[in-house]
Amino acid sequence: MLETINQNMEEEPLQPLQTMKDLTARWADYFNGIQRVLEENERLRQRVTALESENAALTDTLEQWKSNDEWSNRVTYDNVVEQIASLEDTSKRDDARRMFEPLLKKSQVAQLRRDIKRRVRELNEDGDGYSERQVARALEASVGKGRVIDAKWKWAGAYWYLRWTCNYPVDAKEFCKKIVSLDLDIPAEYECSYESIRKICTLSFMDCDARRMDIVRVSKNDQGMFSQCREIALKLAEELGNSYLPQE
């Protein structure tokens, strides 16, 4: 680069400043391109992690089915319906349903489809019960010094609960934008930050329904984080007037 600069200065001695500006602009474009690639790579990595978590949960349920001689066992059947219905991507939900259908008697397949559709409808209805103002008030009562959300990373607990209860964005960055749009009356040092929650939002338990956390299976590595997010979810449920979350 220095040779290029010196050559340009010798050929056009009156334009060294413009040459430097052009080179700087080119380098800026180059680094911006790298930044975009890194951001896209991070988004894809998070997506892969989420899909791996969903696949692991469904595989675990499948293994339970295989070890159970009574395929129509009601508890196991309901768990499968719940997990499949909780998948927000319709194509993934259909793929999961097709994976389980061969395990059922032919007479049970149609019932499985009906039960999944019914549960999806119930989940959607559950998520439409609160206005933005109600959510804002619940968050304002939960954020700040001495409250359950007393650090920026703890917004991950709110993300976990609100994505399932109020259909808030699954994408963590979009979730943060949604929170900003609520115009919350909270101290600036506790504002929701994507950089503070992005890694936590990829943990496997985030893909399980926070309203039924008593059946969520958590790895030992994630147990501490799960416990704190659980506390936040319970607090928000209390503020929003929910009565169906499991209590200690």
Side-chain angles (χ1 to χ4, degrees), residues 41-84:
N41 182 65
E42 175 64 17
R43 187 188 67 78
L44 291 174
R45 188 191 65 78
Q46 292 180 13
R47 180 64 172 163
V48 169
T49 300
L51 290 173
E52 289 176 344
S53 298
E54 291 173 353
N55 180 64
L58 290 169
T59 300
D60 183 58
T61 301
L62 176 60
E63 290 302 320
Q64 291 181 40
W65 273 46
K66 287 181 178 179
S67 63
N68 192 331
D69 293 333
E70 181 54 63
W71 294 104
S72 62
N73 178 276
R74 201 61 220 173
V75 175
T76 303
Y77 178 84
D78 287 346
N79 287 345
V80 170
V81 170
E82 185 73 29
Q83 287 195 49
I84 295 177

Side-chain angles (χ1 to χ4, degrees), residues 1-8 19-20 23-24 26-27:
M1 182 186 291
L2 290 175
E3 293 178 0
T4 302
I5 293 173
N6 290 334
Q7 182 179 355
N8 288 337
T19 300
M20 288 295 294
L23 290 172
T24 300
R26 289 163 59 189
W27 276 110

Side-chain angles (χ1 to χ4, degrees), residues 24-240:
T24 300
R26 289 163 59 189
W27 276 110
D29 290 341
Y30 174 73
F31 285 117
N32 286 337
I34 292 178
Q35 181 63 31
R36 287 193 295 270
V37 170
L38 292 174
E39 290 176 353
E40 177 65 12
N41 182 65
E42 175 64 17
R43 187 188 67 78
L44 291 174
R45 188 191 65 78
Q46 292 180 13
R47 180 64 172 163
V48 169
T49 300
L51 290 173
E52 289 176 344
S53 298
E54 291 173 353
N55 180 64
L58 290 169
T59 300
D60 183 58
T61 301
L62 176 60
E63 290 302 320
Q64 291 181 40
W65 273 46
K66 287 181 178 179
S67 63
N68 192 331
D69 293 333
E70 181 54 63
W71 294 104
S72 62
N73 178 276
R74 201 61 220 173
V75 175
T76 303
Y77 178 84
D78 287 346
N79 287 345
V80 170
V81 170
E82 185 73 29
Q83 287 195 49
I84 295 177
S86 296
L87 296 174
E88 297 183 21
D89 188 310
T90 303
S91 62
K92 290 191 295 181
R93 189 186 306 143
D94 290 341
D95 289 342
R97 175 180 54 76
R98 283 191 288 268
M99 181 177 71
F100 283 103
E101 285 181 353
L103 301 175
L104 295 169
K105 298 176 182 177
K106 189 173 182 180
S107 60
Q108 293 175 308
V109 171
Q111 184 61 46
L112 175 70
R113 296 177 181 177
R114 286 194 296 269
D115 287 343
I116 290 174
K117 288 182 179 180
R118 172 187 55 78
R119 189 68 193 113
V120 169
R121 185 168 58 253
E122 290 174 353
L123 289 172
N124 289 335
E125 290 173 351
D126 287 345
D128 294 331
Y130 303 107
S131 67
E132 289 192 353
R133 187 55 200 148
Q134 287 175 306
V135 173
R137 283 198 297 266
L139 290 172
E140 289 170 348
S142 306
V143 178
K145 186 176 181 181
R147 298 179 178 178
V148 290
I149 303 179
D150 58 0
K152 287 190 173 184
W153 72 263
K154 290 189 176 182
W155 277 99
Y159 162 84
W160 182 39
Y161 183 66
L162 293 176
R163 64 169 283 194
W164 289 98
T165 307
C166 300
N167 288 331
Y168 272 43
V170 175
D171 180 81
K173 185 175 291 186
E174 292 303 314
F175 169 81
C176 291
K177 291 180 180 178
K178 177 69 173 179
I179 295 299
V180 170
S181 73
L182 297 178
D183 194 23
L184 300 175
D185 182 17
I186 59 175
E189 61 267 29
Y190 298 112
E191 291 178 351
C192 184
S193 165
Y194 169 67
E195 289 301 321
S196 299
I197 69 171
R198 62 185 181 87
K199 292 183 179 179
I200 304 172
C201 291
T202 63
L203 298 180
S204 59
F205 69 82
M206 292 282 174
D207 292 315
C208 299
D209 194 333
R211 296 163 297 182
R212 291 154 186 85
M213 61 181 73
D214 53 336
I215 62 173
V216 176
R217 296 185 178 183
V218 186
S219 67
K220 290 183 179 179
N221 290 336
D222 296 343
Q223 187 63 54
M225 195 67 70
F226 170 78
S227 297
Q228 296 192 64
C229 288
R230 183 184 189 281
E231 180 183 1
I232 294 165
L234 288 171
K235 174 61 176 176
L236 290 176
E238 177 185 352
E239 293 295 334
L240 288 170

